[in-house]
Amino acid sequence: MKNIWHIAFLFFILLSCDDDKDCCPSGSDDNEVTIPLSLYQKIYKTTSDIYIENGFVYINTDGVPDHKSPYFLGTQWESEKYVPYDGSNPFVTNFNFNPNRISEGNIRFKIPISPKKSSTTTPTSMGPIGVSLNGVPFYNQYAGGGAPLSNEINSFDQYNGHPAPGRGGGGGRYHYHMEPFWLTQNYGKNTLLGFLLDGFPIYGPEENGSELNSSDLDNHHGHSHPTSDFPGGVYHYHITSDAPYLNGVGYYGAPGTVNE
Ligand SMILES: [Zn+2]
Ligand SMILES: [Zn+2]
């Protein structure tokens, strides 16, 4: 009698598993993941501990890069962190040293820890759209007024970033629109580079030893498959050297918020 109940119980488990798609991850686009705190803790330059509360992770940074830059000239960090432009950025054809200088901010990211595909696409806005491992924000593929980045690219330094115009309220904010060379040089071209505001992870421009470009990705600039951080599969963005570089039509999921 006991065995019959045992078998019936197993049968019930099998049936309910069949009915409940959440219990049997298929590795599809809609595969839900919850990002562990340990992965957010790869973000190593923060102004307070990274913590999770009510389904969101909170990440606070000052946005000042941990690498050197020409844009430290005349700032409080000049003696340790200023270097002239060294001519090494392959995207820069004629370096234009812009008048903006790096300043310290207080950027507070609130990002969902269980990102999922949204039925509507929220376009990215100007200002931070994500956070990189060294706490520097990612910006989207546009210059002011929705113009293409073409002219701005010449003001990118040897680490492929530059500060925003003005002072205060995001002025002087150093940011990356494209591949953050400091991170890919130090951690590899295929590594986790950070997270967009919708919570989906961002990876480098290479995968399995070959370079990706935008045509390998969907119109949000991502795709879904297993990665070393997510053996069960995850949707993720890739940075590519062709436009739109990091994000296409908007967030794949519903974005969290950022305050600065
Ligand atoms: Zn910019
Ligand atoms: Zn990929």
Side-chain angles (χ1 to χ4, degrees), residues 224-254:
S224 193
H225 61 79
T227 72
S228 54
D229 299 312
F230 300 93
V234 68
Y235 184 85
H236 55 282
Y237 301 101
H238 280 280
I239 286 251
T240 62
S241 50
D242 63 333
Y245 316 114
L246 170 57
N247 180 265
V249 294
Y251 298 104
Y252 187 71

PDB file of all heavy atoms in Angstrom, residues 224-254:
ATOM      1  N   SER A 224      20.326  34.829 -26.584  1.00  0.00           N
ATOM      2  CA  SER A 224      20.182  33.957 -25.428  1.00  0.00           C
ATOM      3  C   SER A 224      20.899  32.635 -25.642  1.00  0.00           C
ATOM      4  O   SER A 224      20.723  31.995 -26.673  1.00  0.00           O
ATOM      5  CB  SER A 224      18.682  33.697 -25.229  1.00  0.00           C
ATOM      6  OG  SER A 224      18.456  33.116 -23.986  1.00  0.00           O
ATOM      7  N   HIS A 225      21.762  32.259 -24.725  1.00  0.00           N
ATOM      8  CA  HIS A 225      22.410  30.938 -24.739  1.00  0.00           C
ATOM      9  C   HIS A 225      23.147  30.778 -23.420  1.00  0.00           C
ATOM     10  O   HIS A 225      23.291  31.751 -22.672  1.00  0.00           O
ATOM     11  CB  HIS A 225      23.363  30.799 -25.947  1.00  0.00           C
ATOM     12  CG  HIS A 225      24.481  31.789 -25.953  1.00  0.00           C
ATOM     13  ND1 HIS A 225      25.614  31.658 -25.180  1.00  0.00           N
ATOM     14  CD2 HIS A 225      24.636  32.961 -26.624  1.00  0.00           C
ATOM     15  CE1 HIS A 225      26.415  32.683 -25.387  1.00  0.00           C
ATOM     16  NE2 HIS A 225      25.842  33.492 -26.251  1.00  0.00           N
ATOM     17  N   PRO A 226      23.638  29.595 -23.110  1.00  0.00           N
ATOM     18  CA  PRO A 226      24.383  29.425 -21.859  1.00  0.00           C
ATOM     19  C   PRO A 226      25.700  30.207 -21.875  1.00  0.00           C
ATOM     20  O   PRO A 226      26.309  30.378 -22.932  1.00  0.00           O
ATOM     21  CB  PRO A 226      24.667  27.916 -21.808  1.00  0.00           C
ATOM     22  CG  PRO A 226      23.667  27.309 -22.725  1.00  0.00           C
ATOM     23  CD  PRO A 226      23.430  28.318 -23.806  1.00  0.00           C
ATOM     24  N   THR A 227      26.100  30.720 -20.740  1.00  0.00           N
ATOM     25  CA  THR A 227      27.416  31.356 -20.586  1.00  0.00           C
ATOM     26  C   THR A 227      28.067  30.717 -19.359  1.00  0.00           C
ATOM     27  O   THR A 227      27.406  29.986 -18.619  1.00  0.00           O
ATOM     28  CB  THR A 227      27.304  32.880 -20.336  1.00  0.00           C
ATOM     29  OG1 THR A 227      26.807  33.097 -19.013  1.00  0.00           O
ATOM     30  CG2 THR A 227      26.400  33.555 -21.363  1.00  0.00           C
ATOM     31  N   SER A 228      29.350  31.008 -19.125  1.00  0.00           N
ATOM     32  CA  SER A 228      30.000  30.376 -17.968  1.00  0.00           C
ATOM     33  C   SER A 228      29.350  30.840 -16.660  1.00  0.00           C
ATOM     34  O   SER A 228      29.306  30.097 -15.690  1.00  0.00           O
ATOM     35  CB  SER A 228      31.498  30.663 -17.969  1.00  0.00           C
ATOM     36  OG  SER A 228      31.703  32.046 -18.040  1.00  0.00           O
ATOM     37  N   ASP A 229      28.807  32.052 -16.643  1.00  0.00           N
ATOM     38  CA  ASP A 229      28.129  32.526 -15.433  1.00  0.00           C
ATOM     39  C   ASP A 229      26.719  31.950 -15.309  1.00  0.00           C
ATOM     40  O   ASP A 229      26.162  31.906 -14.215  1.00  0.00           O
ATOM     41  CB  ASP A 229      28.021  34.054 -15.445  1.00  0.00           C
ATOM     42  CG  ASP A 229      29.389  34.730 -15.470  1.00  0.00           C
ATOM     43  OD1 ASP A 229      30.242  34.339 -14.655  1.00  0.00           O
ATOM     44  OD2 ASP A 229      29.595  35.628 -16.305  1.00  0.00           O
ATOM     45  N   PHE A 230      26.121  31.535 -16.453  1.00  0.00           N
ATOM     46  CA  PHE A 230      24.740  31.025 -16.463  1.00  0.00           C
ATOM     47  C   PHE A 230      24.664  29.758 -17.308  1.00  0.00           C
ATOM     48  O   PHE A 230      24.219  29.800 -18.457  1.00  0.00           O
ATOM     49  CB  PHE A 230      23.791  32.076 -17.046  1.00  0.00           C
ATOM     50  CG  PHE A 230      23.755  33.366 -16.286  1.00  0.00           C
ATOM     51  CD1 PHE A 230      24.578  34.420 -16.658  1.00  0.00           C
ATOM     52  CD2 PHE A 230      22.916  33.531 -15.191  1.00  0.00           C
ATOM     53  CE1 PHE A 230      24.565  35.615 -15.951  1.00  0.00           C
ATOM     54  CE2 PHE A 230      22.892  34.718 -14.488  1.00  0.00           C
ATOM     55  CZ  PHE A 230      23.717  35.763 -14.867  1.00  0.00           C
ATOM     56  N   PRO A 231      25.093  28.619 -16.754  1.00  0.00           N
ATOM     57  CA  PRO A 231      25.107  27.375 -17.543  1.00  0.00           C
ATOM     58  C   PRO A 231      23.710  26.990 -18.052  1.00  0.00           C
ATOM     59  O   PRO A 231      23.599  26.278 -19.053  1.00  0.00           O
ATOM     60  CB  PRO A 231      25.634  26.330 -16.557  1.00  0.00           C
ATOM     61  CG  PRO A 231      26.312  27.115 -15.477  1.00  0.00           C
ATOM     62  CD  PRO A 231      25.610  28.438 -15.400  1.00  0.00           C
ATOM     63  N   GLY A 232      22.657  27.463 -17.415  1.00  0.00           N
ATOM     64  CA  GLY A 232      21.296  27.142 -17.860  1.00  0.00           C
ATOM     65  C   GLY A 232      20.797  28.067 -18.954  1.00  0.00           C
ATOM     66  O   GLY A 232      19.668  27.927 -19.411  1.00  0.00           O
ATOM     67  N   GLY A 233      21.627  29.009 -19.384  1.00  0.00           N
ATOM     68  CA  GLY A 233      21.212  29.936 -20.440  1.00  0.00           C
ATOM     69  C   GLY A 233      20.709  31.244 -19.860  1.00  0.00           C
ATOM     70  O   GLY A 233      20.127  31.264 -18.781  1.00  0.00           O
ATOM     71  N   VAL A 234      20.963  32.308 -20.584  1.00  0.00           N
ATOM     72  CA  VAL A 234      20.499  33.634 -20.150  1.00  0.00           C
ATOM     73  C   VAL A 234      20.481  34.561 -21.361  1.00  0.00           C
ATOM     74  O   VAL A 234      21.303  34.417 -22.270  1.00  0.00           O
ATOM     75  CB  VAL A 234      21.434  34.214 -19.060  1.00  0.00           C
ATOM     76  CG1 VAL A 234      22.826  34.547 -19.616  1.00  0.00           C
ATOM     77  CG2 VAL A 234      20.835  35.438 -18.384  1.00  0.00           C
ATOM     78  N   TYR A 235      19.540  35.479 -21.368  1.00  0.00           N
ATOM     79  CA  TYR A 235      19.574  36.547 -22.367  1.00  0.00           C
ATOM     80  C   TYR A 235      20.670  37.511 -21.939  1.00  0.00           C
ATOM     81  O   TYR A 235      20.820  37.818 -20.760  1.00  0.00           O
ATOM     82  CB  TYR A 235      18.233  37.274 -22.432  1.00  0.00           C
ATOM     83  CG  TYR A 235      18.225  38.323 -23.530  1.00  0.00           C
ATOM     84  CD1 TYR A 235      17.914  37.973 -24.843  1.00  0.00           C
ATOM     85  CD2 TYR A 235      18.580  39.644 -23.262  1.00  0.00           C
ATOM     86  CE1 TYR A 235      17.957  38.909 -25.863  1.00  0.00           C
ATOM     87  CE2 TYR A 235      18.624  40.591 -24.283  1.00  0.00           C
ATOM     88  CZ  TYR A 235      18.309  40.214 -25.578  1.00  0.00           C
ATOM     89  OH  TYR A 235      18.355  41.146 -26.588  1.00  0.00           O
ATOM     90  N   HIS A 236      21.466  37.987 -22.892  1.00  0.00           N
ATOM     91  CA  HIS A 236      22.517  38.948 -22.555  1.00  0.00           C
ATOM     92  C   HIS A 236      22.844  39.831 -23.751  1.00  0.00           C
ATOM     93  O   HIS A 236      22.646  39.448 -24.894  1.00  0.00           O
ATOM     94  CB  HIS A 236      23.781  38.226 -22.066  1.00  0.00           C
ATOM     95  CG  HIS A 236      24.309  37.199 -23.028  1.00  0.00           C
ATOM     96  ND1 HIS A 236      23.750  35.952 -23.164  1.00  0.00           N
ATOM     97  CD2 HIS A 236      25.329  37.245 -23.924  1.00  0.00           C
ATOM     98  CE1 HIS A 236      24.414  35.264 -24.094  1.00  0.00           C
ATOM     99  NE2 HIS A 236      25.366  36.030 -24.577  1.00  0.00           N
ATOM    100  N   TYR A 237      23.317  41.020 -23.443  1.00  0.00           N
ATOM    101  CA  TYR A 237      23.779  41.956 -24.470  1.00  0.00           C
ATOM    102  C   TYR A 237      25.261  41.707 -24.728  1.00  0.00           C
ATOM    103  O   TYR A 237      25.977  41.216 -23.865  1.00  0.00           O
ATOM    104  CB  TYR A 237      23.609  43.400 -23.986  1.00  0.00           C
ATOM    105  CG  TYR A 237      22.193  43.793 -23.643  1.00  0.00           C
ATOM    106  CD1 TYR A 237      21.767  43.847 -22.317  1.00  0.00           C
ATOM    107  CD2 TYR A 237      21.282  44.130 -24.638  1.00  0.00           C
ATOM    108  CE1 TYR A 237      20.467  44.231 -21.998  1.00  0.00           C
ATOM    109  CE2 TYR A 237      19.982  44.514 -24.327  1.00  0.00           C
ATOM    110  CZ  TYR A 237      19.579  44.565 -22.999  1.00  0.00           C
ATOM    111  OH  TYR A 237      18.300  44.944 -22.696  1.00  0.00           O
ATOM    112  N   HIS A 238      25.693  42.084 -25.931  1.00  0.00           N
ATOM    113  CA  HIS A 238      27.123  42.102 -26.235  1.00  0.00           C
ATOM    114  C   HIS A 238      27.518  43.495 -26.704  1.00  0.00           C
ATOM    115  O   HIS A 238      26.771  44.135 -27.444  1.00  0.00           O
ATOM    116  CB  HIS A 238      27.465  41.129 -27.368  1.00  0.00           C
ATOM    117  CG  HIS A 238      27.584  39.704 -26.938  1.00  0.00           C
ATOM    118  ND1 HIS A 238      28.718  39.201 -26.332  1.00  0.00           N
ATOM    119  CD2 HIS A 238      26.705  38.670 -27.018  1.00  0.00           C
ATOM    120  CE1 HIS A 238      28.541  37.908 -26.072  1.00  0.00           C
ATOM    121  NE2 HIS A 238      27.322  37.556 -26.465  1.00  0.00           N
ATOM    122  N   ILE A 239      28.704  43.928 -26.295  1.00  0.00           N
ATOM    123  CA  ILE A 239      29.321  45.144 -26.847  1.00  0.00           C
ATOM    124  C   ILE A 239      29.947  44.744 -28.179  1.00  0.00           C
ATOM    125  O   ILE A 239      30.632  43.721 -28.242  1.00  0.00           O
ATOM    126  CB  ILE A 239      30.431  45.634 -25.891  1.00  0.00           C
ATOM    127  CG1 ILE A 239      29.840  46.265 -24.650  1.00  0.00           C
ATOM    128  CG2 ILE A 239      31.394  46.559 -26.615  1.00  0.00           C
ATOM    129  CD1 ILE A 239      29.986  47.757 -24.551  1.00  0.00           C
ATOM    130  N   THR A 240      29.696  45.519 -29.229  1.00  0.00           N
ATOM    131  CA  THR A 240      30.345  45.230 -30.513  1.00  0.00           C
ATOM    132  C   THR A 240      31.041  46.494 -31.012  1.00  0.00           C
ATOM    133  O   THR A 240      30.737  47.599 -30.546  1.00  0.00           O
ATOM    134  CB  THR A 240      29.334  44.777 -31.590  1.00  0.00           C
ATOM    135  OG1 THR A 240      28.410  45.850 -31.831  1.00  0.00           O
ATOM    136  CG2 THR A 240      28.578  43.533 -31.157  1.00  0.00           C
ATOM    137  N   SER A 241      31.933  46.334 -31.966  1.00  0.00           N
ATOM    138  CA  SER A 241      32.621  47.528 -32.458  1.00  0.00           C
ATOM    139  C   SER A 241      31.830  48.236 -33.548  1.00  0.00           C
ATOM    140  O   SER A 241      32.207  49.323 -33.962  1.00  0.00           O
ATOM    141  CB  SER A 241      34.046  47.205 -32.915  1.00  0.00           C
ATOM    142  OG  SER A 241      34.026  46.117 -33.776  1.00  0.00           O
ATOM    143  N   ASP A 242      30.736  47.636 -34.014  1.00  0.00           N
ATOM    144  CA  ASP A 242      29.876  48.360 -34.960  1.00  0.00           C
ATOM    145  C   ASP A 242      28.635  48.888 -34.237  1.00  0.00           C
ATOM    146  O   ASP A 242      28.202  48.349 -33.222  1.00  0.00           O
ATOM    147  CB  ASP A 242      29.490  47.460 -36.150  1.00  0.00           C
ATOM    148  CG  ASP A 242      28.666  46.242 -35.749  1.00  0.00           C
ATOM    149  OD1 ASP A 242      28.791  45.775 -34.589  1.00  0.00           O
ATOM    150  OD2 ASP A 242      27.890  45.747 -36.579  1.00  0.00           O
ATOM    151  N   ALA A 243      28.069  49.997 -34.768  1.00  0.00           N
ATOM    152  CA  ALA A 243      26.873  50.599 -34.174  1.00  0.00           C
ATOM    153  C   ALA A 243      25.730  49.579 -34.205  1.00  0.00           C
ATOM    154  O   ALA A 243      25.670  48.800 -35.168  1.00  0.00           O
ATOM    155  CB  ALA A 243      26.491  51.859 -34.941  1.00  0.00           C
ATOM    156  N   PRO A 244      24.846  49.562 -33.215  1.00  0.00           N
ATOM    157  CA  PRO A 244      24.737  50.507 -32.093  1.00  0.00           C
ATOM    158  C   PRO A 244      25.572  50.144 -30.855  1.00  0.00           C
ATOM    159  O   PRO A 244      25.273  50.660 -29.766  1.00  0.00           O
ATOM    160  CB  PRO A 244      23.241  50.480 -31.784  1.00  0.00           C
ATOM    161  CG  PRO A 244      22.833  49.066 -32.110  1.00  0.00           C
ATOM    162  CD  PRO A 244      23.704  48.622 -33.251  1.00  0.00           C
ATOM    163  N   TYR A 245      26.566  49.353 -30.978  1.00  0.00           N
ATOM    164  CA  TYR A 245      27.586  49.094 -29.951  1.00  0.00           C
ATOM    165  C   TYR A 245      27.129  48.289 -28.735  1.00  0.00           C
ATOM    166  O   TYR A 245      27.751  47.304 -28.370  1.00  0.00           O
ATOM    167  CB  TYR A 245      28.249  50.392 -29.456  1.00  0.00           C
ATOM    168  CG  TYR A 245      28.604  51.335 -30.560  1.00  0.00           C
ATOM    169  CD1 TYR A 245      27.969  52.570 -30.676  1.00  0.00           C
ATOM    170  CD2 TYR A 245      29.548  50.979 -31.527  1.00  0.00           C
ATOM    171  CE1 TYR A 245      28.273  53.428 -31.723  1.00  0.00           C
ATOM    172  CE2 TYR A 245      29.859  51.833 -32.582  1.00  0.00           C
ATOM    173  CZ  TYR A 245      29.215  53.050 -32.677  1.00  0.00           C
ATOM    174  OH  TYR A 245      29.502  53.890 -33.708  1.00  0.00           O
ATOM    175  N   LEU A 246      26.034  48.709 -28.081  1.00  0.00           N
ATOM    176  CA  LEU A 246      25.646  48.068 -26.822  1.00  0.00           C
ATOM    177  C   LEU A 246      24.158  47.763 -26.747  1.00  0.00           C
ATOM    178  O   LEU A 246      23.760  46.708 -26.268  1.00  0.00           O
ATOM    179  CB  LEU A 246      26.048  48.975 -25.641  1.00  0.00           C
ATOM    180  CG  LEU A 246      25.528  48.597 -24.257  1.00  0.00           C
ATOM    181  CD1 LEU A 246      25.952  47.191 -23.880  1.00  0.00           C
ATOM    182  CD2 LEU A 246      26.029  49.584 -23.217  1.00  0.00           C
ATOM    183  N   ASN A 247      23.338  48.686 -27.197  1.00  0.00           N
ATOM    184  CA  ASN A 247      21.890  48.471 -27.154  1.00  0.00           C
ATOM    185  C   ASN A 247      21.291  49.013 -28.441  1.00  0.00           C
ATOM    186  O   ASN A 247      21.733  50.036 -28.942  1.00  0.00           O
ATOM    187  CB  ASN A 247      21.278  49.183 -25.940  1.00  0.00           C
ATOM    188  CG  ASN A 247      19.766  48.982 -25.874  1.00  0.00           C
ATOM    189  OD1 ASN A 247      19.002  49.818 -26.340  1.00  0.00           O
ATOM    190  ND2 ASN A 247      19.338  47.859 -25.329  1.00  0.00           N
ATOM    191  N   GLY A 248      20.276  48.299 -28.948  1.00  0.00           N
ATOM    192  CA  GLY A 248      19.641  48.721 -30.193  1.00  0.00           C
ATOM    193  C   GLY A 248      18.411  49.562 -29.934  1.00  0.00           C
ATOM    194  O   GLY A 248      18.492  50.725 -29.555  1.00  0.00           O
ATOM    195  N   VAL A 249      17.216  48.929 -30.092  1.00  0.00           N
ATOM    196  CA  VAL A 249      15.960  49.681 -30.027  1.00  0.00           C
ATOM    197  C   VAL A 249      15.534  50.051 -28.614  1.00  0.00           C
ATOM    198  O   VAL A 249      14.618  50.846 -28.426  1.00  0.00           O
ATOM    199  CB  VAL A 249      14.818  48.900 -30.705  1.00  0.00           C
ATOM    200  CG1 VAL A 249      15.077  48.768 -32.196  1.00  0.00           C
ATOM    201  CG2 VAL A 249      14.653  47.514 -30.070  1.00  0.00           C
ATOM    202  N   GLY A 250      16.155  49.464 -27.620  1.00  0.00           N
ATOM    203  CA  GLY A 250      15.766  49.767 -26.242  1.00  0.00           C
ATOM    204  C   GLY A 250      16.013  48.558 -25.365  1.00  0.00           C
ATOM    205  O   GLY A 250      16.618  47.564 -25.794  1.00  0.00           O
ATOM    206  N   TYR A 251      15.531  48.637 -24.124  1.00  0.00           N
ATOM    207  CA  TYR A 251      15.743  47.546 -23.173  1.00  0.00           C
ATOM    208  C   TYR A 251      14.931  46.311 -23.561  1.00  0.00           C
ATOM    209  O   TYR A 251      13.771  46.431 -23.965  1.00  0.00           O
ATOM    210  CB  TYR A 251      15.331  47.981 -21.770  1.00  0.00           C
ATOM    211  CG  TYR A 251      16.132  49.144 -21.236  1.00  0.00           C
ATOM    212  CD1 TYR A 251      15.595  50.428 -21.191  1.00  0.00           C
ATOM    213  CD2 TYR A 251      17.429  48.958 -20.770  1.00  0.00           C
ATOM    214  CE1 TYR A 251      16.326  51.498 -20.699  1.00  0.00           C
ATOM    215  CE2 TYR A 251      18.167  50.025 -20.270  1.00  0.00           C
ATOM    216  CZ  TYR A 251      17.607  51.281 -20.234  1.00  0.00           C
ATOM    217  OH  TYR A 251      18.332  52.341 -19.750  1.00  0.00           O
ATOM    218  N   TYR A 252      15.529  45.150 -23.385  1.00  0.00           N
ATOM    219  CA  TYR A 252      14.836  43.883 -23.638  1.00  0.00           C
ATOM    220  C   TYR A 252      13.833  43.614 -22.516  1.00  0.00           C
ATOM    221  O   TYR A 252      12.759  43.080 -22.728  1.00  0.00           O
ATOM    222  CB  TYR A 252      15.878  42.763 -23.697  1.00  0.00           C
ATOM    223  CG  TYR A 252      15.358  41.419 -24.123  1.00  0.00           C
ATOM    224  CD1 TYR A 252      14.972  41.192 -25.445  1.00  0.00           C
ATOM    225  CD2 TYR A 252      15.275  40.370 -23.218  1.00  0.00           C
ATOM    226  CE1 TYR A 252      14.509  39.961 -25.845  1.00  0.00           C
ATOM    227  CE2 TYR A 252      14.814  39.118 -23.615  1.00  0.00           C
ATOM    228  CZ  TYR A 252      14.434  38.927 -24.925  1.00  0.00           C
ATOM    229  OH  TYR A 252      13.972  37.694 -25.330  1.00  0.00           O
ATOM    230  N   GLY A 253      14.196  44.006 -21.302  1.00  0.00           N
ATOM    231  CA  GLY A 253      13.311  43.866 -20.147  1.00  0.00           C
ATOM    232  C   GLY A 253      12.848  45.234 -19.679  1.00  0.00           C
ATOM    233  O   GLY A 253      13.126  46.247 -20.315  1.00  0.00           O
ATOM    234  N   ALA A 254      12.140  45.255 -18.556  1.00  0.00           N
ATOM    235  CA  ALA A 254      11.689  46.529 -17.997  1.00  0.00           C
ATOM    236  C   ALA A 254      12.821  47.121 -17.158  1.00  0.00           C
ATOM    237  O   ALA A 254      13.345  46.454 -16.268  1.00  0.00           O
ATOM    238  CB  ALA A 254      10.453  46.317 -17.135  1.00  0.00           C
TER     239      ALA A 254
END
